[in-house]
Amino acid sequence: MTTTGQPGITGNVLFYSQPEPLSPEMHGKMGVKNMDGPFGFAKVGHAVPLTVGEFPAASSTGPIIFVGDEKLPISVMGLNAGENMFLQADGLFQPGVYIPAYVRRYPFIFANDDAAKQMVLCIDRAAEFIVESGYDMPFFETDGQPSQYTKNCIEFCNNFELERQRTANFVQILKDLDLLETKTASFTPMNADGTAGEPQKIADYFGVSEEKLAKLPVEKYIELRDNGALPQIHAHLTSLLGWDRLVAITLARQMQAPQAANA
């Protein structure tokens, strides 16, 4: 890891709008101020990346699905793009909601420096709690060395990268065993007369096939048990019941909206 000036992150990274390498030259007199509601940035996170070790804790909040060509796991936190239904207006998550490590890592992130073949620690300079004065936790000490706060964040990011690699290995296991299949989440709305309406599709995604899992050779099933993948698979499957929860919350809020407008 390095904190010297290097090229910033390229491409689109969820939540990070102005990433730049952390360095004492650029950020020696900056720091982070405490906020009562520090997660306001996550309001656009309806689908947040998740690491495999988080599956059990995250499964009670909402669906854990796999997306894209790489089949990366995400935590579904809203049915509408750009709307995290679990984040309150005060910048705090609803009580009992699991907050993914991806969110807790912000505003720090590692970026690859291909030329130097190393990881560069970056921050999102646009984060509202990064300030040039009145901060509670500086990024650097007066001698230019990382502060204890920054050291703790570096350790968190290092652990996150390790978990990210574990996640990639877990997904590769699912691919090698051909356990993933295309799934569709849908719900059936009720008409005004109480009859069932036309089913509506919510999302297409990848998930573990319970049929394929049940048909695995015994030795492969035991292998999944012994390498710790089986509990994570079960957590993923259990989490899919969360689609109903998201639909129920969304419908309840839609019904409350007209009442609030007429109040």
Side-chain angles (χ1 to χ4, degrees):
M1 191 283 299
T2 180
T3 56
T4 59
Q6 298 288 346
I9 301 173
T10 58
N12 296 320
V13 183
L14 179 65
F15 303 147
Y16 296 80
S17 60
Q18 191 181 334
E20 55 189 37
L22 182 66
S23 70
E25 293 79 17
M26 294 180 61
H27 312 104
K29 296 182 179 180
M30 294 183 186
V32 171
K33 67 176 180 178
N34 290 323
M35 294 183 61
D36 293 334
F39 299 116
F41 65 89
K43 63 183 178 182
V44 298
H46 73 288
V48 180
L50 203 65
T51 60
V52 66
E54 300 178 275
F55 280 22
S59 63
S60 62
T61 292
I64 299 169
I65 63 176
F66 299 86
V67 299
D69 294 337
E70 296 183 353
K71 311 295 192 297
L72 296 179
I74 64 170
S75 174
V76 179
M77 307 195 82
L79 298 183
N80 299 318
E83 180 183 343
N84 189 323
M85 65 168 53
F86 298 120
L87 190 67
Q88 302 172 149
D90 60 2
L92 293 173
F93 280 89
Q94 294 174 7
V97 168
Y98 178 75
I99 305 174
Y102 186 96
V103 173
R104 289 180 277 124
R105 178 186 60 167
Y106 186 85
F108 290 88
I109 188 173
F110 273 133
N112 285 316
D113 181 352
D114 295 331
K117 297 186 185 322
Q118 63 183 347
M119 302 291 284
V120 180
L121 183 68
C122 299
I123 58 170
D124 184 5
R125 184 63 185 85
E128 63 175 326
F129 41 75
I130 293 180
V131 295
E132 297 183 8
S133 61
Y135 47 77
D136 299 290
M137 295 161 289
F139 289 129
F140 295 95
E141 304 293 352
T142 54
D143 60 0
Q145 294 301 307
S147 65
Q148 188 58 52
Y149 167 73
T150 299
K151 290 178 181 178
N152 292 341
C153 292
I154 291 173
E155 181 179 5
F156 188 94
C157 288
N158 279 329
N159 291 335
F160 184 86
E161 290 303 313
L162 292 175
E163 286 299 308
R164 213 158 60 91
Q165 185 56 53
R166 280 189 61 219
T167 302
N169 294 338
F170 170 76
V171 171
Q172 190 59 51
I173 290 173
L174 299 183
K175 290 180 179 179
D176 291 343
L177 294 176
D178 191 30
L179 288 177
L180 293 172
E181 65 177 3
T182 301
K183 295 190 176 188
T184 299
S186 61
F187 80 102
T188 302
M190 296 294 292
N191 294 321
D193 60 2
T195 60
E198 289 294 322
Q200 298 184 19
K201 183 170 69 173
I202 301 172
D204 290 321
Y205 62 95
F206 295 102
V208 171
S209 166
E210 294 185 68
E211 181 180 357
K212 291 182 178 181
L213 182 64
K215 291 181 178 180
L216 275 181
V218 174
E219 64 272 15
K220 291 297 182 181
Y221 194 87
I222 293 175
E223 192 176 309
L224 287 177
R225 182 199 65 187
D226 292 345
N227 65 21
L230 194 57
Q232 315 300 356
I233 291 174
H234 288 157
H236 151 67
L237 292 172
T238 299
S239 78
L240 299 181
L241 298 173
W243 285 117
D244 291 338
R245 180 189 181 199
L246 297 189
V247 169
I249 293 174
T250 300
L251 293 178
R253 290 180 179 177
Q254 289 175 350
M255 294 179 63
Q256 292 172 358
Q259 297 176 6
N262 296 328

